[in-house]
Amino acid sequence: PRPILLTRHGESQDNVRGRIGGDAAISEAGELYSKKLANFVEKRLKSERAASIWTSTLQRTILTASPIVGFPKVQWRALDEINAGVCDGMTYEEIKKNRPEEYESRQKDKLRYRYPRGESYLDVIQRLEPVIIELERQRAPVVVISHQAVLRALYAYFADRPLKEVPHIEMPLHTIIEIQMGVTGVQEKRYKLMD
Ligand code: F6P
């Protein structure tokens, strides 16, 4: 059985400042994770010649993948983080203060709430369809380096979690979720590479 490895990018400068969205580079801790991830992937997928590394088009995932050598890399726009529209680059505190109605509506229905000029979780789930089709088609292992909201949606699909839970699934940084699809169902392992 072929594994799918899901991970968020290494910690970004925006994660440090608590800002959502953007296209920041990774922090020192994020760089350390990228090296640990490369080590892990090279060991785990050593004899897997056809394995590939998928990232989003945002530099925090591309930088996280960069120390991994020996496998082809594919960039997917569909793996980009949820588009926060007018709230892009803000902290949750700033949204609460400057756009209290938006903050409230999102609290009330995080799954359906769509950022003005941005996306909802439902939008993200929809745009992931081609990625899921391609993942299901792959015979070789795939490492998916993406973002919090996107990985919640992907994980929920493979782990068969209900739609309403998607926006609330825990998706910690610096952790690999390995999913194995076998005849008896889906098996999952987690590797926390850093505290
Ligand atoms: O904070 C990191 C981040 O990836 C943001 O870019 C994104 O808006 C957010 O997480 C998604 O998580 P939530 O839906 O819980 O706000």
Side-chain angles (χ1 to χ4, degrees), residues 3 23 34 41 51 59 64 91 97-98 103 105 118 139 143 154-155 159 168-169 174 176 180:
D23 191 11
S34 71
V41 168
Q59 59 162 343
T64 302
T91 65
K97 194 161 149 260
N98 305 329
Y103 190 86
S105 333
R139 291 173 182 281
V143 182
L154 274 183
Y155 174 79
H168 308 285
I169 293 171
H174 305 165
I176 301 163
Q180 293 263 16

Side-chain angles (χ1 to χ4, degrees), residues 61-113:
T61 66
I62 295 167
L63 289 168
T64 302
S66 67
I68 307 174
V69 292
F71 300 100
K73 293 172 189 171
V74 184
Q75 288 179 24
W76 286 80
R77 192 170 294 280
L79 286 175
D80 285 1
E81 182 54 307
I82 187 170
N83 180 351
V86 299
C87 293
D88 187 83
M90 293 166 87
T91 65
Y92 295 115
E93 277 306 304
E94 285 167 351
I95 300 172
K96 200 169 176 178
K97 194 161 149 260
N98 305 329
R99 297 211 167 236
E101 346 63 51
E102 298 299 329
Y103 190 86
E104 266 303 293
S105 333
R106 191 163 202 257
Q107 293 285 97
K108 278 199 196 111
D109 191 352
K110 198 176 171 187
L111 178 68
R112 284 180 191 80
Y113 171 79

Side-chain angles (χ1 to χ4, degrees), residues 8-9 12 14-15 18-22 58 60 81-84 87-90 92 95 106 110 115 121 146-150 152 166-169 173:
R8 290 176 68 186
H9 54 80
S12 71
D14 279 336
N15 291 147
R19 301 198 174 281
I20 66 169
L58 297 165
R60 54 193 184 274
E81 182 54 307
I82 187 170
N83 180 351
C87 293
D88 187 83
M90 293 166 87
Y92 295 115
I95 300 172
R106 191 163 202 257
K110 198 176 171 187
Y115 284 107
Y121 267 88
S146 180
H147 306 266
Q148 177 155 250
V150 168
R152 281 173 173 153
V166 173
H168 308 285
I169 293 171
L173 282 169

